[in-house]
Amino acid sequence: ISPSILSADFARLADDIQKVETDADWLHVDVMDGMFVPNITIGPPVVAAIRKHTKLPLDVHLMVADPDRYVDAFVAAGADLVTVHAEACTHLDRVLQHIRSLGAGAGVSLNPATPLSAIEEVLDRVDLVLLMTVNPGFGGQRFIPSMMDKIRRLRAQANHAGHAFHIQVDGGIGPANVREIFEAGADVLVAGNSIYGDPDPAEACRRLRRFACGS
């Protein structure tokens, strides 16, 4: 479970992070530049500030144009894993290799309309594949149903080739669909509104885990 701080209260960010500290596995940090996506969020200084308030791995998702320009700064700020969009990288393999050379995990993300074939040549060199299950840029959107089959196909491809990367999904995830998403093959679940929209974010994390595992 990787709560997305995009849905947290930015005026009380440290407090909202502490609310999920013991029940989340990672912390998902969405970075938007107003170019690759229409919204603007945060930069390396905020990630550095967050790093001081949590021991959770920081899962930094760069929804930015030319992400290779910013990788060094976000790793230096404390990112444990940096995910870039295949659509935003001219030289995807080079960027992924560079992230790993800095000692961070390397992730690659695909928008809903981007086929899995766009990343098949780098699957043996990533730690995570993030499948966007909404169009990126805003929180609170509904899960796109056709993405369930995309998750299944990626899991089958990974299993067939013996790849060990995580499959992360982001967008419209909540108690109603988390079990099906997990059974389709995703093993890292990003959730924003379904966690921070709950009066008890810690219990919301636990609930998602219970629903995913069917317990």
Side-chain angles (χ1 to χ4, degrees), residues 127-140:
D127 301 289
L128 175 145
V129 175
L130 166 54
L131 297 180
M132 292 301 300
T133 47
V134 298
N135 288 297
F138 300 95

Side-chain angles (χ1 to χ4, degrees), residues 6-101:
L6 183 64
S7 298
D9 182 348
F10 273 44
R12 301 177 60 85
L13 196 50
D15 291 340
D16 273 3
I17 289 170
Q18 288 303 309
K19 289 176 183 177
V20 300
E21 183 77 16
T22 60
D23 295 283
D25 300 289
W26 299 357
L27 198 66
H28 191 78
V29 182
D30 285 312
V31 177
M32 306 181 189
D33 65 352
M35 297 176 63
F36 181 69
V37 293
N39 207 353
I40 298 175
T41 55
I42 64 174
V46 176
V47 172
I50 292 170
R51 178 76 284 167
K52 298 175 183 177
H53 291 279
T54 183
K55 295 180 180 179
L56 291 170
L58 294 185
D59 161 29
V60 176
H61 176 196
L62 299 184
M63 288 180 272
V64 303
D66 300 320
D68 50 301
R69 295 183 297 168
Y70 306 105
V71 166
D72 293 66
F74 280 101
V75 174
D80 296 285
L81 188 144
V82 177
T83 297
V84 299
H85 271 261
E87 303 90 349
C89 294
T90 302
H91 302 289
L92 178 59
D93 180 76
R94 181 185 299 166
V95 176
L96 295 171
Q97 287 191 50
H98 183 57
I99 294 170
R100 281 185 153 185
S101 76

Side-chain angles (χ1 to χ4, degrees), residues 142-189:
R142 291 186 178 183
F143 183 94
I144 299 173
S146 61
M147 294 300 100
M148 203 70 76
D149 180 63
K150 194 175 187 179
I151 299 167
R152 294 189 185 98
R153 287 185 285 115
L154 179 59
R155 173 54 66 195
Q157 188 173 348
N159 290 347
H160 178 74
H163 295 314
F165 56 75
H166 292 288
I167 296 179
Q168 183 180 71
V169 292
D170 182 1
I173 297 168
N177 59 11
V178 68
R179 177 70 183 276
E180 187 178 2
I181 291 168
F182 178 69
E183 291 182 341
D187 62 327
V188 182
L189 308 170

Side-chain angles (χ1 to χ4, degrees), residues 100-122:
R100 281 185 153 185
S101 76
L102 296 173
V108 61
S109 183
L110 294 178
N111 287 335
T114 305
L116 294 176
S117 59
I119 58 171
E120 62 185 10
E121 299 298 336
V122 298

